[in-house]
């Protein structure tokens, strides 16, 4: 996306918006929980996010070798658990394709659920978030069922309905190993009463085919994820609208980072709304390392910058939701705009 010219105001999104969260839009989604404050994908990260006021929580799903769905950002477990310090599991170390290149480590698809349950969670970015490391080892790795039950219970305590965004990680790779995730996912949604179009849930993926298959099997809203470099043009959005109700896009596709001066919004939100697609932007993190130049404060990569300003730029572009590690810092920007 190279648009840098002044654009007309974004076209309002058609109602109803098929995304989970609060009563209106835009929504604030806690990315892997309040992962700016607790190790990601722990039950306490989810509880903390909801207590901060997040409208929804984003969960990433990967399978174990016996077909259970657990909640991890990726199937390689050494960055977010203590598995590297477990000599009894050393024989399970493998080298597997992960993303664009092979990775060595311990993968969920090589462990049973019983083995995963012996692991404890730890902070994924200790160099940037040293305060989170005090929580290392306090919790295990949650299953999808445990995460859904926790989010529901915390929502009941808060007196409101909390949404859930479920991202399927590399479903084609797992299906090739006989670990298709769609069946276990739909079964879990049914167990928790989340298997209809009105449930506060959506299923997300970067992979088109798994969403097309799910479109034939469920009425749950579907969201196509798009990264920098993916086709986000009008024709691509038209095709996505044939099987999904929204897109989840890298924030730089909405407000491309400028080489100099301030960035200007692209036409993505306008084009998506014209096709009935909601737009969630990811991932807003408060640390300088993740912010555009104009929103950084101070020289330290781990120092907190103006994430509220970054959120404001995305809101001005018309997004329907913000996915963030820091819901406590993003919510005030959303409320101020509302």
């Amino acid at each position: 996306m190279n648009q840098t010219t002044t654009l007309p105001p974004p076209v309002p999104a058609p109602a109803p918006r098929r995304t989970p969260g609060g009563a209106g839009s835009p929504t604030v989604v806690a990315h892997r929980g309040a992962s700016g404050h607790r190790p990601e994908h722990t039950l306490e990260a989810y509880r903390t996010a909801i207590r901060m006021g997040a409208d929804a929580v984003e969960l990433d799903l990967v399978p174990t070798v016996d077909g259970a769905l657990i909640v991890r950002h990726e199937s390689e477990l050494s960055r977010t658990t203590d598995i590297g310090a477990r000599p009894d599991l050393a024989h399970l170390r493998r080298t597997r394709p992960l993303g664009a290149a092979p990775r060595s480590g311990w993968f969920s698809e090589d462990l049973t659920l019983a083995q995963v349950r012996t692991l404890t969670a730890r902070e994924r970015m200790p160099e940037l978030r040293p305060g989170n490391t005090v929580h290392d080892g306090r919790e295990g790795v949650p299953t999808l069922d445990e995460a859904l039950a926790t989010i529901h219970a915390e929502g009941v305590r808060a007196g409101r309905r909390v949404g859930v965004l479920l991202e399927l990680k590399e479903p084609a790779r797992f299906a090739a190993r006989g670990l298709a995730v769609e069946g276990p996912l739909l079964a879990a949604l049914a167990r928790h009463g989340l298997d209809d179009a009105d449930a506060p849930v959506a299923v997300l993926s970067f992979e088109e085919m798994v969403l097309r298959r799910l479109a034939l099997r469920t009425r749950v809203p579907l969201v196509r994820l798009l990264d920098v470099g993916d086709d986000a043009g009008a024709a691509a959005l038209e095709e996505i609208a044939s099987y999904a109700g929204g897109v989840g896009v890298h924030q730089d596709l909405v407000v491309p980072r400028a080489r100099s001066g301030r960035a200007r919004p692209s036409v993505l939100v306008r084009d998506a709304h014209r096709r009935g697609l909601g737009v969630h932007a990811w991932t807003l993190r408060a640390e300088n390392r993740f912010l555009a130049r104009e929103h950084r404060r101070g020289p330290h990569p781990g120092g907190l910058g103006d994430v509220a300003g970054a959120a404001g730029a995305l809101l001005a572009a018309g997004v329907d939701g913000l996915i963030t590690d820091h819901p406590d810092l993003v919510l005030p920007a959303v409320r101020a705009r509302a």
Side-chain angles (χ1 to χ4, degrees), residues 116-136:
V116 169
R117 287 194 182 280
T118 69
L119 304 176
T120 60
R122 70 181 190 184
E123 171 57 38
R124 188 169 68 91
M125 296 186 288
E127 71 286 356
L128 290 179
R129 296 172 177 172
N132 286 8
T133 63
V134 300
H135 304 283
D136 287 358

Side-chain angles (χ1 to χ4, degrees), residues 89-157:
L89 298 175
H91 66 287
L92 294 175
R93 183 178 174 88
R94 301 282 189 272
T95 298
R96 295 197 179 282
L98 192 68
R103 282 265 296 277
S104 295
W106 290 263
F107 296 82
S108 67
E109 63 267 34
D110 297 314
L111 277 71
T112 65
L113 178 59
Q115 289 170 323
V116 169
R117 287 194 182 280
T118 69
L119 304 176
T120 60
R122 70 181 190 184
E123 171 57 38
R124 188 169 68 91
M125 296 186 288
E127 71 286 356
L128 290 179
R129 296 172 177 172
N132 286 8
T133 63
V134 300
H135 304 283
D136 287 358
R138 294 183 179 180
E139 294 192 58
V141 175
T143 63
L144 172 58
D145 282 310
E146 291 164 347
L148 292 176
T150 297
I151 292 167
H152 173 74
E154 197 62 38
V156 170
R157 291 188 185 96

Side-chain angles (χ1 to χ4, degrees), residues 22 33 51 91 145 147 163 170 206 253 284 293 322 331:
R51 292 167 188 170
H91 66 287
D145 282 310
E170 299 192 282
F206 284 99
L253 291 175
L284 277 167
R293 183 184 302 107
L322 299 170
L331 275 162

Side-chain angles (χ1 to χ4, degrees), residues 89-295:
L89 298 175
H91 66 287
L92 294 175
R93 183 178 174 88
R94 301 282 189 272
T95 298
R96 295 197 179 282
L98 192 68
R103 282 265 296 277
S104 295
W106 290 263
F107 296 82
S108 67
E109 63 267 34
D110 297 314
L111 277 71
T112 65
L113 178 59
Q115 289 170 323
V116 169
R117 287 194 182 280
T118 69
L119 304 176
T120 60
R122 70 181 190 184
E123 171 57 38
R124 188 169 68 91
M125 296 186 288
E127 71 286 356
L128 290 179
R129 296 172 177 172
N132 286 8
T133 63
V134 300
H135 304 283
D136 287 358
R138 294 183 179 180
E139 294 192 58
V141 175
T143 63
L144 172 58
D145 282 310
E146 291 164 347
L148 292 176
T150 297
I151 292 167
H152 173 74
E154 197 62 38
V156 170
R157 291 188 185 96
R160 59 192 178 89
R161 207 178 192 197
V162 178
V164 184
L165 274 63
L166 301 169
E167 182 183 346
L168 303 179
K169 309 296 290 194
E170 299 192 282
R173 182 170 73 85
F174 294 127
R177 294 199 61 191
L179 294 171
V181 296
E182 298 102 298
L185 168 68
L186 295 177
L189 293 179
R191 284 194 297 274
H192 293 266
L194 297 171
D195 55 346
D196 62 67
D198 296 322
V201 65
V203 178
L204 295 66
S205 182
F206 284 99
E207 296 184 15
E208 173 185 345
M209 294 314 299
V210 71
L211 295 177
R212 285 191 177 277
R213 291 194 298 270
L214 283 168
L216 301 176
R217 300 180 62 181
T218 181
R219 297 175 62 210
V220 167
L222 306 175
V223 176
R224 175 70 184 277
L225 296 173
L226 298 173
D227 204 345
V228 172
D230 290 336
D231 185 359
L237 294 171
E238 190 79 37
E239 184 64 24
I240 290 170
S242 69
Y243 61 84
V247 289
V249 302
H250 192 291
Q251 59 183 307
D252 289 359
L253 291 175
V254 177
V255 182
R257 300 195 184 195
R259 294 183 180 274
S260 61
R262 288 191 171 269
R264 298 169 186 261
S266 72
V267 297
L268 186 150
V269 175
R270 183 198 69 186
D271 287 349
H273 284 173
R274 285 177 172 171
R275 288 154 181 85
L277 294 168
V279 181
H280 277 56
W282 53 269
T283 301
L284 277 167
R285 296 181 168 105
E287 291 89 0
N288 285 322
R289 175 177 170 181
F290 304 109
L291 293 169
R293 183 184 302 107
E294 64 265 30
H295 299 303

